[in-house]
């Protein structure tokens, strides 16, 4: 083997949450005896979506597969020591719940229907009338609210960063190799790297997050995934609320939740267009002109708040139907994609990565059938649209 030509059985492009989790599931499967190589352009993960996340988990989705994926992550974290060893830290969910507000009958019906599905699958979603909402959370202004949907158990913040570190560290302990390099071209099963080296792989996994469409293009395929900015703001309130603030999804497009003793708000820009993958410029007017007014209108106690920290992250936004895109590309079968998470990828990584590893090792999904999120739906124009997006 020459110095600039290497081989591996599975090459994973991107070593953040998704890529590390795929490597972890592969390396711990006794039926898999191959080599796993992660290629990561930035091993500090400074700009990865994984590092800019809000790290919450919910069961209030509109599709069975998304609910089951979150429920798997919840059980994985509950049994973390069985999965990851006695030394693994506990990863409890800070369960303040998501609280969706509907101000028209159309969205109210979406929430009612979704509640039936969620409860049927074991979630604790409650529909609250305006009066019930005011009684339970008297700090909201509710004049314009038709109803609310609140998850009362197993929804809230989880320590996704620690989970990522565990997947990454243990995958390396079990034998996965991390190459600090950038994939700049794909010819068949050969990856061309920025360093000039070539990596020849049996299977290639595209876990490149917001850059996933670039990888697909290198392999001669398309992916409806693009980087889209999402703003996050941490603030302090002069008058803290008497209870933990649920992750409140306001009809204005702003969401806000408890963040320790502070609060965290977020939103997309008004012009929610794709951006360059290295554009992390923050439009400071968004806080003054959009977020703060929306917060104060919904929760008058938030008239007196102080901004502590803000950042921009990129969703790997699937503009086809806002759901993960998984599986072998019909026109480039050596390439398996796990991208397009549209803001819910951190909570889905454990279950999705398990499925991707099963696909590689066993040729099919074994534990949870991920085919509703299959890439074929893009080619067949069958959207699996998620209506509860934040
Ligand atoms: C503001 C914000 C809030 C969010 N909140 C939540 C939330 O509350 N709950 C939730 O579940 N999800 C949330 N998400 C989404 C979640 O963070 C992402 O879905 C998840 O982190 C995606 O992980 P990933 O590993 O697929 O992608 P990334 O974390 O983006 O990692 C992709 C990696 O690929 C590498 N890469 C790219 N191209 C190449 C190349 N050519 N060669 C080598 N390496 C390459 C990159 O350097 C990067 O490290 C949020 C995201 C944002 C931005």
């Amino acid at each position: 083997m020459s110095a600039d030509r290497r081989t591996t059985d599975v090459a994973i492009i991107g070593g953040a949450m998704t890529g590390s989790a795929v490597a972890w599931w592969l390396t711990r499967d006794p039926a898999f005896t191959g080599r796993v190589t992660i290629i990561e352009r930035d091993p500090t993960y400074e700009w990865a979506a994984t590092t800019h996340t809000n790290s919450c988990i919910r069961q209030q989705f509109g599709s069975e597969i998304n609910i089951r994926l979150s429920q798997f992550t919840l059980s994985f974290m509950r049994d973390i020591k069985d999965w990851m060893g006695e030394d693994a830290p506990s990863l409890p969910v800070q369960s303040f719940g998501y609280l969706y507000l509907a101000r028209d009958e159309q969205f109210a019906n979406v929430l009612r229907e979704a509640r039936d599905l969620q409860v049927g699958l074991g979630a604790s979603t409650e529909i609250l009338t305006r009066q019930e909402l005011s009684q339970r959370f008297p700090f909201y202004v509710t004049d314009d609210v038709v109803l609310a949907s609140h998850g009362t158990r197993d929804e809230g913040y989880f320590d996704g960063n620690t989970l990522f570190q565990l997947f990454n560290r243990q995958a390396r302990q079990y034998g996965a190799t991390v190459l600090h390099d950038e994939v700049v071209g794909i010819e068949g099963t050969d990856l061309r790297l920025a360093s000039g080296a070539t990596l020849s792989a049996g299977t290639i996994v595209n876990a490149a997050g917001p850059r996933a469409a670039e990888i697909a293009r290198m392999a001669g395929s398309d992916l409806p995934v693009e980087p889209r900015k999402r703003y996050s703001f941490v603030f302090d309130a002069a008058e803290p609320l008497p209870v933990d603030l649920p992750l409140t999804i306001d009809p204005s497009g702003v969401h806000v939740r408890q963040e320790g003793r502070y609060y965290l708000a977020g939103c997309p820009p008004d012009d929610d267009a794709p951006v360059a993958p290295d554009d992390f410029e923050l439009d400071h007017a968004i806080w003054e002109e959009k977020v703060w007014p929306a917060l104060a209108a919904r929760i008058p106690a938030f008239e007196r708040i102080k901004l502590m920290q803000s950042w921009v992250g990129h969703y790997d936004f699937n503009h086809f139907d806002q759901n993960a895109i998984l599986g072998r590309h019909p026109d480039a079968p050596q390439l398996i994609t796990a991208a397009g998470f549209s803001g819910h990828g951190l909570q889905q990584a454990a279950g999705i990565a398990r499925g991707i590893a099963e696909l590689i090792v066993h040729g099919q999904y074994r534990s949870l059938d991920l085919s509703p999120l299959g890439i074929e739906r893009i080619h067949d124009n069958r959207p699996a649209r998620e209506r509860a997006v934040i």
Side-chain angles (χ1 to χ4, degrees), residues 13-14 16-18 39-41 45 48-50 52-56 181-183 207-211 215 230 232 313-316 341 343-347:
I13 306 172
M17 187 61 156
T18 305
I39 306 99
E40 173 51 60
R41 65 194 294 279
Y45 299 103
T50 298
H52 292 89
T53 187
N54 292 345
S55 207
C56 284
D181 215 325
E182 179 170 359
V183 175
R211 293 175 188 258
I215 302 296
R230 290 296 178 269
S232 298
H314 288 168
Y315 273 9
D316 52 331
F341 298 112
H344 40 274
L346 206 74
Q347 67 198 279

Side-chain angles (χ1 to χ4, degrees), residues 12-20 38-58 61 70 98 156 158 164 179 181-185 193 206-212 214-215 218 228-232 247 255 257 264 266-267 280 311-316 338-349 390:
I12 301 173
I13 306 172
M17 187 61 156
T18 305
S20 288
I38 294 172
I39 306 99
E40 173 51 60
R41 65 194 294 279
D42 174 18
T44 69
Y45 299 103
E46 186 180 355
W47 302 109
T50 298
T51 309
H52 292 89
T53 187
N54 292 345
S55 207
C56 284
I57 186 162
R58 60 177 157 134
F61 282 105
S70 286
Y98 281 53
F158 73 107
F164 158 54
L179 271 187
D181 215 325
E182 179 170 359
V183 175
V184 292
L193 307 182
N206 180 358
R211 293 175 188 258
E214 284 177 25
I215 302 296
M218 290 177 200
R228 292 219 191 164
K229 283 187 184 178
R230 290 296 178 269
Y231 296 99
S232 298
L247 200 169
H255 56 87
R257 67 163 168 87
L264 187 150
C267 67
F280 288 90
W311 68 88
V312 175
H314 288 168
Y315 273 9
D316 52 331
F341 298 112
S342 308
H344 40 274
L346 206 74
Q347 67 198 279
Q348 297 195 326
I390 69 167

